[in-house]
Amino acid sequence: MQKTVITKLKKIGLSEESIDFLLQFYTGAVNAYGIISLEDLYGLYKGIKRQNHDYPEITFDQFLTFGEVTGSKLLEHYAIFSPEIINKYCNDSGIPLTSPLLVHENVAWKEDSIHEIWYLYMELCEFSSKFYLTPNDLCDFAEHKETADDRAFQKILAELKAFGKPLDQVESQIYPNDTGLNEITKLVTYAYQTSPGNLEATSAEFENLSLFYRLDYGKHTFQEICTLMKRALYDLPCWGLGGYTYGKMMGIPKEEITENEYFDDSFYKDDDDLFEFDEDDDSSDSGQQLGQALLDLASDTHPHATMRQKASYPKRLLDKTMKKRYADAGFDTDKLDFLHKFFQAAVNLYGVIELADLAQIYGDIKGKNHYPDISDDEFIAFAELVRREKVPYYVFEQHELFKNGIDFEFERILVNEDLLGPDGLKALEGVYNVYFSEYASEYWEPEDMLAYSGHQQEKEELDMLAYFTQLGSRDAKIVSLESKDLARKIVDHFLWTSKGGLEDADPIPKEEFRQLLANSGKPLNKEVEDNILELIHSYDKNRHVYVLKGWTTDEWKSKPEIHGEQVQRVKAMQALLDMIRKHKDHE
């Protein structure tokens, strides 16, 4: 520590032993909690000191000054963010921050701005309810002791190659003067600790990093590496759980962790609650509850700073021009027809999917369907060309949807035009809800993708359209053009909200529905509500859900092993709440 820093700290009455203690205590705190206010941390210090008599006596002013002085000078383990700056520039919670934030160095490196650090702090506090782990000695967390599991994971990573070179010789893309090997270790750890503690999140992060670094697994498999990775992370504190570890809190033994067995089935006993839909509800709110089972699935946990208000997209070209471009690219008629059907089927099933994931699904089902041979380069070339063709979907570059997006050819994003909503490229909420959905960890794979290249819900949609059209007509034989138009708008709006999983949007647009009833002079009664509910249930029964990566709700509920991050967060939150209740009961 710099002499000037020590001199300042001694002036406020801290001895060298107290300074050394606080450095260990602060470092242990950021390792355990990631982000914590100094006010909360001092409360933990006082609580531990009552049990640990080796802790020196330190006043709150000394504690605060130590953080402010060292956090602005060291930047080796942690940083300090003042409440004045946060309250002025990024605190939109309505609750002013009254104490500086102690922030782990990895958070300061990983998050792009103070806004994102604040969002992360709020998310972690909301999840843990500030129920922080209180160990016998927080200083024990100041240094991570390497375990056999750590060494096993590092060994297998060191044997991988990125871009044809050993991974430990490839430069890190985020952390300056570091290697790709260390970056991968830091990022999967970060995903685990902020998820919070969901081992499934590390699989997704490692898969993304594998694609980014183009890792060559060689004699190893993805599953083998993920299993070693999860066991290496098992004992680390989870920031979103207030420093508790997920596996121990949930009672999952480390030796039972494998790639396909993350969690005890007993923690899925309440999954039905996510899909509750009361068909007998007679309340006047029934109209607003239509499709709620799907709307409740919507999830957007990512900072809005990374998203765009509207998407940019290149101009579509004439069919004649596109035929020439495809021919110049070397696509024959059969291969071109297959790719058009395959891409269309993908957006019909998934709504949103990255090109790399689509290519993997193609590889998985190619053999049993005798699909034509399509190389990765041909997938990339077609995705680039079809962007300019008049098709009912978009193939976005990363930068066209995200402000901080970096374009990679295999990370282009296919989007069903239905998800863009009534305002086209200005309405991206449905796209983001599906893209960031964390309810399923893997895509549903059909026996034959081409079977879904046509419109799958035509009958159910036509039934809804016919009902709303007749509902707006005084005479069954004479239907006004206005009622037809209103019925189409209502159905289109419902399809958009249900496919996009939009929580805050009414599935049935109120103004259009009121006007439809006014045109016919018919009242909104229980019979009408029941008829609409039946049509919605008929629509929901057979459809593959975008926010569930193409799974139907019944399939998803029956397969807890494919449940993704959002469901695991729900389970972790429930376990944490149970722990808080038990703690309060003891008090």
Side-chain angles (χ1 to χ4, degrees):
M1 189 179 293
Q2 299 173 2
K3 288 184 177 179
T4 55
V5 173
I6 295 176
T7 301
K8 285 182 180 180
L9 295 176
K10 284 186 175 181
K11 285 182 179 180
I12 62 171
L14 289 174
S15 65
E16 290 192 10
E17 291 77 10
S18 295
I19 292 171
D20 183 62
F21 163 79
L22 283 173
L23 183 60
Q24 295 294 311
F25 190 82
Y26 270 55
T27 304
V30 288
N31 288 343
Y33 313 123
I35 308 177
I36 187 171
S37 75
L38 292 189
E39 189 174 7
D40 289 334
L41 184 57
Y42 188 73
L44 290 170
Y45 156 78
K46 296 293 286 184
I48 299 173
K49 187 179 184 304
R50 282 194 290 269
Q51 307 298 325
N52 191 329
H53 301 297
D54 291 334
Y55 274 28
E57 186 66 47
I58 297 170
T59 68
F60 180 65
D61 287 340
Q62 290 173 327
F63 194 89
L64 199 67
T65 302
F66 177 88
E68 292 172 343
V69 171
T70 59
S72 62
K73 297 293 184 181
L74 295 180
L75 296 177
E76 294 176 356
H77 305 291
Y78 55 83
I80 295 289
F81 290 85
S82 74
E84 291 78 16
I85 292 176
I86 290 174
N87 289 333
K88 183 175 181 179
Y89 294 107
C90 61
N91 186 351
D92 53 6
S93 68
I95 304 173
L97 185 66
T98 59
S99 172
L101 290 184
L102 177 67
V103 179
H104 195 286
E105 61 174 342
N106 286 348
V107 175
W109 273 115
K110 180 70 171 60
E111 305 304 330
D112 294 334
S113 67
I114 191 173
H115 292 79
E116 294 188 10
I117 291 172
W118 172 251
Y119 292 142
L120 178 60
Y121 171 67
M122 292 297 288
E123 183 178 318
L124 297 181
C125 285
E126 180 181 5
F127 201 93
S128 68
S129 301
K130 290 193 175 183
F131 187 68
Y132 294 112
L133 170 73
T134 307
N136 293 326
D137 186 358
L138 192 56
C139 296
D140 290 342
F141 290 79
E143 185 177 352
H144 175 67
K145 298 178 178 61
E146 189 179 66
T147 66
D149 293 306
D150 293 328
R151 291 190 290 273
F153 178 48
Q154 288 295 307
K155 181 178 182 297
I156 201 169
L157 274 186
E159 293 173 356
L160 303 183
K161 288 188 177 181
F163 311 111
K165 296 168 60 178
L167 185 56
D168 58 358
Q169 295 179 18
V170 176
E171 185 178 354
S172 165
Q173 301 299 304
I174 294 180
Y175 299 96
N177 304 316
D178 211 338
T179 66
L181 186 149
N182 288 335
E183 175 173 299
I184 289 176
T185 303
K186 288 178 181 178
L187 290 179
V188 297
T189 302
Y190 192 80
Y192 171 69
Q193 291 186 302
T194 58
S195 57
N198 180 7
L199 295 173
E200 176 62 20
T202 63
S203 275
E205 182 71 6
F206 185 65
E207 185 174 3
N208 291 333
L209 290 166
S210 297
L211 292 170
F212 179 78
Y213 278 103
R214 299 182 184 178
L215 294 182
D216 178 10
Y217 292 122
K219 63 183 179 180
H220 306 294
T221 66
F222 177 82
Q223 289 78 8
E224 176 189 3
I225 297 173
C226 279
T227 298
L228 292 174
M229 174 180 66
K230 293 182 177 99
R231 291 179 178 178
L233 296 172
Y234 178 90
D235 292 315
L236 288 180
C238 304
W239 300 343
L241 296 180
Y244 292 91
T245 61
Y246 189 93
K248 291 178 181 176
M249 186 175 73
M250 290 299 207
I252 307 167
K254 182 192 294 189
E255 58 272 14
E256 293 184 10
I257 293 177
T258 65
E259 174 58 16
N260 295 314
E261 295 178 306
Y262 312 117
F263 304 100
D264 190 320
D265 289 345
S266 65
F267 292 103
Y268 298 94
K269 60 182 181 300
D270 296 322
D271 281 349
D272 289 343
D273 294 342
L274 292 173
F275 296 90
E276 277 188 353
F277 191 83
D278 190 352
E279 297 183 47
D280 300 323
D281 187 359
D282 295 333
S283 73
S284 59
D285 294 332
S286 295
Q288 297 181 14
Q289 294 175 353
L290 301 180
Q292 192 64 44
L294 295 174
L295 302 189
D296 287 342
L297 291 176
S299 171
D300 177 9
T301 58
H302 293 249
H304 286 277
T306 64
M307 303 177 190
R308 295 195 175 277
Q309 294 297 318
K310 61 181 181 178
S312 59
Y313 200 77
K315 182 180 178 181
R316 307 282 184 134
L317 302 177
L318 298 173
D319 291 344
K320 181 179 178 180
T321 303
M322 289 307 306
K323 285 182 180 178
K324 182 177 186 305
R325 291 197 174 194
Y326 283 127
D328 291 345
F331 286 106
D332 61 44
T333 303
D334 290 341
K335 189 168 287 188
L336 196 59
D337 180 61
F338 169 80
L339 284 168
H340 271 110
K341 290 180 179 178
F342 197 79
F343 273 49
Q344 183 63 62
V347 294
N348 287 345
L349 273 177
Y350 310 121
V352 178
I353 187 171
E354 286 194 4
L355 184 60
D357 293 321
L358 183 59
Q360 179 179 330
I361 293 171
Y362 160 81
D364 291 343
I365 63 176
K366 172 182 179 290
K368 59 186 174 186
N369 288 288
H370 306 293
Y371 289 160
D373 291 328
I374 308 288
S375 67
D376 287 349
D377 288 340
E378 287 174 316
F379 261 99
I380 291 170
F382 179 77
E384 167 65 23
L385 290 168
V386 81
R387 278 165 50 81
R388 309 302 302 273
E389 188 177 359
K390 295 177 181 178
V391 290
Y393 56 88
Y394 296 83
V395 182
F396 288 107
E397 300 283 8
Q398 289 280 333
H399 82 272
E400 292 169 341
L401 287 178
F402 308 106
K403 291 179 182 178
N404 57 352
I406 300 174
D407 294 336
F408 293 98
E409 292 176 329
F410 230 26
E411 291 184 13
R412 293 187 175 115
I413 302 170
L414 280 67
V415 173
N416 192 320
E417 68 176 4
D418 290 346
L419 280 172
L420 294 175
D423 296 326
L425 294 172
K426 295 180 181 179
L428 300 176
E429 185 181 1
V431 178
Y432 292 137
N433 276 1
V434 175
Y435 184 77
F436 290 127
S437 174
E438 298 171 330
Y439 283 92
S441 61
E442 60 187 64
Y443 286 92
W444 179 77
E445 294 186 355
E447 287 294 316
D448 179 10
M449 180 71 82
L450 302 190
Y452 295 85
S453 58
H455 192 64
Q456 295 304 299
Q457 294 297 327
E458 184 174 5
K459 179 183 181 303
E460 289 79 8
E461 286 182 30
L462 289 176
D463 287 344
M464 281 192 283
L465 186 61
Y467 179 79
F468 282 114
T469 301
Q470 290 299 322
L471 190 63
S473 305
R474 291 182 181 272
D475 187 334
K477 296 181 180 179
I478 303 174
V479 179
S480 69
L481 292 178
E482 183 185 11
S483 291
K484 283 185 177 180
D485 183 55
L486 288 169
R488 182 72 264 177
K489 287 180 178 178
I490 290 171
V491 172
D492 285 348
H493 185 82
F494 167 74
L495 296 179
W496 173 56
T497 56
S498 65
K499 289 176 179 178
L502 304 179
E503 275 185 325
D504 299 327
D506 290 320
I508 301 297
K510 294 177 182 178
E511 292 304 317
E512 284 82 355
F513 188 62
R514 286 177 185 143
Q515 186 59 50
L516 194 74
L517 292 175
N519 287 354
S520 65
K522 297 173 183 175
L524 175 60
N525 53 33
K526 189 175 186 304
E527 181 183 358
V528 171
E529 293 177 357
D530 288 345
N531 287 337
I532 295 175
L533 286 171
E534 185 176 348
L535 288 167
I536 298 302
H537 282 303
S538 176
Y539 175 81
D540 289 343
K541 189 182 301 181
N542 300 310
R543 82 186 191 90
H544 294 270
V545 184
Y546 290 171
V547 292
L548 297 183
K549 288 184 165 49
W551 297 89
T552 66
T553 55
D554 286 345
E555 291 171 328
W556 183 89
K557 288 164 65 177
S558 67
K559 292 180 177 292
E561 69 272 12
I562 59 97
H563 289 186
E565 169 71 6
Q566 189 62 19
V567 173
Q568 305 310 339
R569 289 174 67 87
V570 171
K571 301 306 172 187
M573 173 58 93
Q574 187 57 54
L576 190 60
L577 289 175
D578 292 342
M579 189 181 294
I580 293 172
R581 290 192 191 100
K582 290 178 182 177
H583 176 76
K584 289 182 176 178
D585 289 343
H586 288 310
E587 291 179 343

PDB file of all heavy atoms in Angstrom, residues 446-467:
ATOM      1  N   PRO A 446     -37.202 -30.481 -33.710  1.00  0.00           N
ATOM      2  CA  PRO A 446     -38.235 -31.303 -34.345  1.00  0.00           C
ATOM      3  C   PRO A 446     -37.619 -32.497 -35.067  1.00  0.00           C
ATOM      4  O   PRO A 446     -36.412 -32.519 -35.348  1.00  0.00           O
ATOM      5  CB  PRO A 446     -38.873 -30.339 -35.350  1.00  0.00           C
ATOM      6  CG  PRO A 446     -37.771 -29.395 -35.697  1.00  0.00           C
ATOM      7  CD  PRO A 446     -36.952 -29.231 -34.442  1.00  0.00           C
ATOM      8  N   GLU A 447     -38.455 -33.494 -35.340  1.00  0.00           N
ATOM      9  CA  GLU A 447     -37.982 -34.626 -36.138  1.00  0.00           C
ATOM     10  C   GLU A 447     -37.533 -34.141 -37.510  1.00  0.00           C
ATOM     11  O   GLU A 447     -36.509 -34.535 -38.024  1.00  0.00           O
ATOM     12  CB  GLU A 447     -39.102 -35.666 -36.275  1.00  0.00           C
ATOM     13  CG  GLU A 447     -39.369 -36.454 -35.000  1.00  0.00           C
ATOM     14  CD  GLU A 447     -38.192 -37.337 -34.625  1.00  0.00           C
ATOM     15  OE1 GLU A 447     -37.635 -38.003 -35.519  1.00  0.00           O
ATOM     16  OE2 GLU A 447     -37.806 -37.349 -33.449  1.00  0.00           O
ATOM     17  N   ASP A 448     -38.374 -33.274 -38.103  1.00  0.00           N
ATOM     18  CA  ASP A 448     -38.064 -32.713 -39.420  1.00  0.00           C
ATOM     19  C   ASP A 448     -38.403 -31.229 -39.390  1.00  0.00           C
ATOM     20  O   ASP A 448     -39.574 -30.848 -39.287  1.00  0.00           O
ATOM     21  CB  ASP A 448     -38.878 -33.424 -40.511  1.00  0.00           C
ATOM     22  CG  ASP A 448     -38.612 -32.852 -41.905  1.00  0.00           C
ATOM     23  OD1 ASP A 448     -37.667 -32.050 -42.057  1.00  0.00           O
ATOM     24  OD2 ASP A 448     -39.354 -33.211 -42.836  1.00  0.00           O
ATOM     25  N   MET A 449     -37.389 -30.379 -39.460  1.00  0.00           N
ATOM     26  CA  MET A 449     -37.616 -28.938 -39.383  1.00  0.00           C
ATOM     27  C   MET A 449     -38.541 -28.451 -40.494  1.00  0.00           C
ATOM     28  O   MET A 449     -39.361 -27.545 -40.282  1.00  0.00           O
ATOM     29  CB  MET A 449     -36.270 -28.202 -39.450  1.00  0.00           C
ATOM     30  CG  MET A 449     -36.401 -26.688 -39.379  1.00  0.00           C
ATOM     31  SD  MET A 449     -36.873 -26.096 -37.741  1.00  0.00           S
ATOM     32  CE  MET A 449     -35.271 -26.106 -36.945  1.00  0.00           C
ATOM     33  N   LEU A 450     -38.443 -29.040 -41.670  1.00  0.00           N
ATOM     34  CA  LEU A 450     -39.212 -28.549 -42.815  1.00  0.00           C
ATOM     35  C   LEU A 450     -40.714 -28.706 -42.619  1.00  0.00           C
ATOM     36  O   LEU A 450     -41.507 -28.039 -43.290  1.00  0.00           O
ATOM     37  CB  LEU A 450     -38.787 -29.258 -44.101  1.00  0.00           C
ATOM     38  CG  LEU A 450     -37.299 -29.140 -44.492  1.00  0.00           C
ATOM     39  CD1 LEU A 450     -37.071 -29.663 -45.894  1.00  0.00           C
ATOM     40  CD2 LEU A 450     -36.820 -27.703 -44.371  1.00  0.00           C
ATOM     41  N   ALA A 451     -41.117 -29.566 -41.692  1.00  0.00           N
ATOM     42  CA  ALA A 451     -42.547 -29.732 -41.419  1.00  0.00           C
ATOM     43  C   ALA A 451     -43.145 -28.465 -40.832  1.00  0.00           C
ATOM     44  O   ALA A 451     -44.371 -28.309 -40.805  1.00  0.00           O
ATOM     45  CB  ALA A 451     -42.759 -30.898 -40.457  1.00  0.00           C
ATOM     46  N   TYR A 452     -42.290 -27.536 -40.357  1.00  0.00           N
ATOM     47  CA  TYR A 452     -42.772 -26.310 -39.735  1.00  0.00           C
ATOM     48  C   TYR A 452     -42.529 -25.081 -40.615  1.00  0.00           C
ATOM     49  O   TYR A 452     -42.631 -23.952 -40.149  1.00  0.00           O
ATOM     50  CB  TYR A 452     -42.094 -26.122 -38.373  1.00  0.00           C
ATOM     51  CG  TYR A 452     -42.480 -27.191 -37.401  1.00  0.00           C
ATOM     52  CD1 TYR A 452     -41.802 -28.410 -37.370  1.00  0.00           C
ATOM     53  CD2 TYR A 452     -43.558 -27.020 -36.545  1.00  0.00           C
ATOM     54  CE1 TYR A 452     -42.180 -29.423 -36.496  1.00  0.00           C
ATOM     55  CE2 TYR A 452     -43.942 -28.021 -35.664  1.00  0.00           C
ATOM     56  CZ  TYR A 452     -43.246 -29.218 -35.652  1.00  0.00           C
ATOM     57  OH  TYR A 452     -43.636 -30.211 -34.789  1.00  0.00           O
ATOM     58  N   SER A 453     -42.233 -25.306 -41.880  1.00  0.00           N
ATOM     59  CA  SER A 453     -41.965 -24.168 -42.766  1.00  0.00           C
ATOM     60  C   SER A 453     -43.238 -23.423 -43.143  1.00  0.00           C
ATOM     61  O   SER A 453     -43.187 -22.268 -43.548  1.00  0.00           O
ATOM     62  CB  SER A 453     -41.233 -24.630 -44.034  1.00  0.00           C
ATOM     63  OG  SER A 453     -42.000 -25.600 -44.726  1.00  0.00           O
ATOM     64  N   GLY A 454     -44.399 -24.085 -42.997  1.00  0.00           N
ATOM     65  CA  GLY A 454     -45.673 -23.412 -43.237  1.00  0.00           C
ATOM     66  C   GLY A 454     -46.201 -22.786 -41.962  1.00  0.00           C
ATOM     67  O   GLY A 454     -45.646 -22.956 -40.885  1.00  0.00           O
ATOM     68  N   HIS A 455     -47.289 -22.062 -42.067  1.00  0.00           N
ATOM     69  CA  HIS A 455     -47.883 -21.386 -40.911  1.00  0.00           C
ATOM     70  C   HIS A 455     -48.592 -22.417 -40.053  1.00  0.00           C
ATOM     71  O   HIS A 455     -49.556 -23.030 -40.485  1.00  0.00           O
ATOM     72  CB  HIS A 455     -48.857 -20.316 -41.385  1.00  0.00           C
ATOM     73  CG  HIS A 455     -49.298 -19.394 -40.297  1.00  0.00           C
ATOM     74  ND1 HIS A 455     -48.426 -18.560 -39.638  1.00  0.00           N
ATOM     75  CD2 HIS A 455     -50.512 -19.190 -39.725  1.00  0.00           C
ATOM     76  CE1 HIS A 455     -49.087 -17.863 -38.733  1.00  0.00           C
ATOM     77  NE2 HIS A 455     -50.350 -18.224 -38.758  1.00  0.00           N
ATOM     78  N   GLN A 456     -48.133 -22.588 -38.796  1.00  0.00           N
ATOM     79  CA  GLN A 456     -48.602 -23.701 -37.967  1.00  0.00           C
ATOM     80  C   GLN A 456     -49.917 -23.452 -37.251  1.00  0.00           C
ATOM     81  O   GLN A 456     -50.588 -24.376 -36.862  1.00  0.00           O
ATOM     82  CB  GLN A 456     -47.519 -24.047 -36.940  1.00  0.00           C
ATOM     83  CG  GLN A 456     -46.254 -24.583 -37.559  1.00  0.00           C
ATOM     84  CD  GLN A 456     -46.496 -25.805 -38.430  1.00  0.00           C
ATOM     85  OE1 GLN A 456     -46.966 -26.830 -37.949  1.00  0.00           O
ATOM     86  NE2 GLN A 456     -46.200 -25.702 -39.707  1.00  0.00           N
ATOM     87  N   GLN A 457     -50.277 -22.202 -37.069  1.00  0.00           N
ATOM     88  CA  GLN A 457     -51.473 -21.917 -36.264  1.00  0.00           C
ATOM     89  C   GLN A 457     -52.610 -21.356 -37.123  1.00  0.00           C
ATOM     90  O   GLN A 457     -53.450 -20.615 -36.644  1.00  0.00           O
ATOM     91  CB  GLN A 457     -51.120 -20.929 -35.143  1.00  0.00           C
ATOM     92  CG  GLN A 457     -50.168 -21.487 -34.123  1.00  0.00           C
ATOM     93  CD  GLN A 457     -50.752 -22.670 -33.366  1.00  0.00           C
ATOM     94  OE1 GLN A 457     -51.941 -22.734 -33.123  1.00  0.00           O
ATOM     95  NE2 GLN A 457     -49.912 -23.625 -33.004  1.00  0.00           N
ATOM     96  N   GLU A 458     -52.624 -21.718 -38.373  1.00  0.00           N
ATOM     97  CA  GLU A 458     -53.602 -21.118 -39.283  1.00  0.00           C
ATOM     98  C   GLU A 458     -55.038 -21.368 -38.836  1.00  0.00           C
ATOM     99  O   GLU A 458     -55.852 -20.447 -38.772  1.00  0.00           O
ATOM    100  CB  GLU A 458     -53.400 -21.648 -40.697  1.00  0.00           C
ATOM    101  CG  GLU A 458     -54.317 -20.980 -41.715  1.00  0.00           C
ATOM    102  CD  GLU A 458     -53.997 -21.404 -43.132  1.00  0.00           C
ATOM    103  OE1 GLU A 458     -53.134 -22.275 -43.311  1.00  0.00           O
ATOM    104  OE2 GLU A 458     -54.620 -20.860 -44.045  1.00  0.00           O
ATOM    105  N   LYS A 459     -55.386 -22.618 -38.490  1.00  0.00           N
ATOM    106  CA  LYS A 459     -56.771 -22.927 -38.126  1.00  0.00           C
ATOM    107  C   LYS A 459     -57.193 -22.148 -36.885  1.00  0.00           C
ATOM    108  O   LYS A 459     -58.265 -21.526 -36.844  1.00  0.00           O
ATOM    109  CB  LYS A 459     -56.939 -24.428 -37.877  1.00  0.00           C
ATOM    110  CG  LYS A 459     -58.374 -24.814 -37.475  1.00  0.00           C
ATOM    111  CD  LYS A 459     -58.501 -26.294 -37.170  1.00  0.00           C
ATOM    112  CE  LYS A 459     -59.938 -26.641 -36.809  1.00  0.00           C
ATOM    113  NZ  LYS A 459     -60.449 -25.862 -35.660  1.00  0.00           N
ATOM    114  N   GLU A 460     -56.342 -22.169 -35.822  1.00  0.00           N
ATOM    115  CA  GLU A 460     -56.690 -21.485 -34.585  1.00  0.00           C
ATOM    116  C   GLU A 460     -56.806 -19.979 -34.798  1.00  0.00           C
ATOM    117  O   GLU A 460     -57.706 -19.335 -34.244  1.00  0.00           O
ATOM    118  CB  GLU A 460     -55.638 -21.778 -33.507  1.00  0.00           C
ATOM    119  CG  GLU A 460     -55.660 -23.201 -32.962  1.00  0.00           C
ATOM    120  CD  GLU A 460     -54.978 -24.201 -33.879  1.00  0.00           C
ATOM    121  OE1 GLU A 460     -54.362 -23.759 -34.871  1.00  0.00           O
ATOM    122  OE2 GLU A 460     -55.041 -25.402 -33.591  1.00  0.00           O
ATOM    123  N   GLU A 461     -55.908 -19.421 -35.622  1.00  0.00           N
ATOM    124  CA  GLU A 461     -55.983 -17.988 -35.900  1.00  0.00           C
ATOM    125  C   GLU A 461     -57.243 -17.657 -36.684  1.00  0.00           C
ATOM    126  O   GLU A 461     -57.912 -16.651 -36.415  1.00  0.00           O
ATOM    127  CB  GLU A 461     -54.743 -17.539 -36.670  1.00  0.00           C
ATOM    128  CG  GLU A 461     -53.493 -17.459 -35.820  1.00  0.00           C
ATOM    129  CD  GLU A 461     -52.301 -16.977 -36.606  1.00  0.00           C
ATOM    130  OE1 GLU A 461     -52.502 -16.193 -37.562  1.00  0.00           O
ATOM    131  OE2 GLU A 461     -51.177 -17.382 -36.280  1.00  0.00           O
ATOM    132  N   LEU A 462     -57.565 -18.496 -37.658  1.00  0.00           N
ATOM    133  CA  LEU A 462     -58.769 -18.260 -38.452  1.00  0.00           C
ATOM    134  C   LEU A 462     -60.023 -18.359 -37.586  1.00  0.00           C
ATOM    135  O   LEU A 462     -60.987 -17.606 -37.779  1.00  0.00           O
ATOM    136  CB  LEU A 462     -58.847 -19.259 -39.607  1.00  0.00           C
ATOM    137  CG  LEU A 462     -57.825 -19.045 -40.731  1.00  0.00           C
ATOM    138  CD1 LEU A 462     -57.942 -20.148 -41.767  1.00  0.00           C
ATOM    139  CD2 LEU A 462     -58.016 -17.679 -41.379  1.00  0.00           C
ATOM    140  N   ASP A 463     -60.003 -19.301 -36.624  1.00  0.00           N
ATOM    141  CA  ASP A 463     -61.153 -19.420 -35.716  1.00  0.00           C
ATOM    142  C   ASP A 463     -61.312 -18.143 -34.886  1.00  0.00           C
ATOM    143  O   ASP A 463     -62.437 -17.651 -34.693  1.00  0.00           O
ATOM    144  CB  ASP A 463     -60.963 -20.620 -34.775  1.00  0.00           C
ATOM    145  CG  ASP A 463     -61.147 -21.943 -35.493  1.00  0.00           C
ATOM    146  OD1 ASP A 463     -61.704 -21.939 -36.613  1.00  0.00           O
ATOM    147  OD2 ASP A 463     -60.731 -22.982 -34.933  1.00  0.00           O
ATOM    148  N   MET A 464     -60.197 -17.609 -34.373  1.00  0.00           N
ATOM    149  CA  MET A 464     -60.270 -16.361 -33.608  1.00  0.00           C
ATOM    150  C   MET A 464     -60.750 -15.211 -34.486  1.00  0.00           C
ATOM    151  O   MET A 464     -61.598 -14.404 -34.072  1.00  0.00           O
ATOM    152  CB  MET A 464     -58.892 -16.022 -33.014  1.00  0.00           C
ATOM    153  CG  MET A 464     -58.555 -16.811 -31.763  1.00  0.00           C
ATOM    154  SD  MET A 464     -57.096 -16.145 -30.896  1.00  0.00           S
ATOM    155  CE  MET A 464     -55.794 -16.766 -31.941  1.00  0.00           C
ATOM    156  N   LEU A 465     -60.196 -15.141 -35.685  1.00  0.00           N
ATOM    157  CA  LEU A 465     -60.566 -14.057 -36.589  1.00  0.00           C
ATOM    158  C   LEU A 465     -62.055 -14.117 -36.936  1.00  0.00           C
ATOM    159  O   LEU A 465     -62.748 -13.087 -36.939  1.00  0.00           O
ATOM    160  CB  LEU A 465     -59.718 -14.143 -37.857  1.00  0.00           C
ATOM    161  CG  LEU A 465     -59.868 -13.000 -38.862  1.00  0.00           C
ATOM    162  CD1 LEU A 465     -59.476 -11.668 -38.226  1.00  0.00           C
ATOM    163  CD2 LEU A 465     -59.015 -13.270 -40.098  1.00  0.00           C
ATOM    164  N   ALA A 466     -62.557 -15.315 -37.200  1.00  0.00           N
ATOM    165  CA  ALA A 466     -63.976 -15.476 -37.534  1.00  0.00           C
ATOM    166  C   ALA A 466     -64.864 -15.079 -36.365  1.00  0.00           C
ATOM    167  O   ALA A 466     -65.895 -14.415 -36.543  1.00  0.00           O
ATOM    168  CB  ALA A 466     -64.247 -16.919 -37.953  1.00  0.00           C
ATOM    169  N   TYR A 467     -64.462 -15.443 -35.145  1.00  0.00           N
ATOM    170  CA  TYR A 467     -65.295 -15.131 -33.985  1.00  0.00           C
ATOM    171  C   TYR A 467     -65.362 -13.626 -33.747  1.00  0.00           C
ATOM    172  O   TYR A 467     -66.434 -13.057 -33.540  1.00  0.00           O
ATOM    173  CB  TYR A 467     -64.759 -15.830 -32.732  1.00  0.00           C
ATOM    174  CG  TYR A 467     -65.580 -15.496 -31.505  1.00  0.00           C
ATOM    175  CD1 TYR A 467     -66.804 -16.128 -31.276  1.00  0.00           C
ATOM    176  CD2 TYR A 467     -65.160 -14.528 -30.604  1.00  0.00           C
ATOM    177  CE1 TYR A 467     -67.580 -15.811 -30.174  1.00  0.00           C
ATOM    178  CE2 TYR A 467     -65.921 -14.206 -29.496  1.00  0.00           C
ATOM    179  CZ  TYR A 467     -67.133 -14.852 -29.292  1.00  0.00           C
ATOM    180  OH  TYR A 467     -67.906 -14.519 -28.212  1.00  0.00           O
TER     181      TYR A 467
END
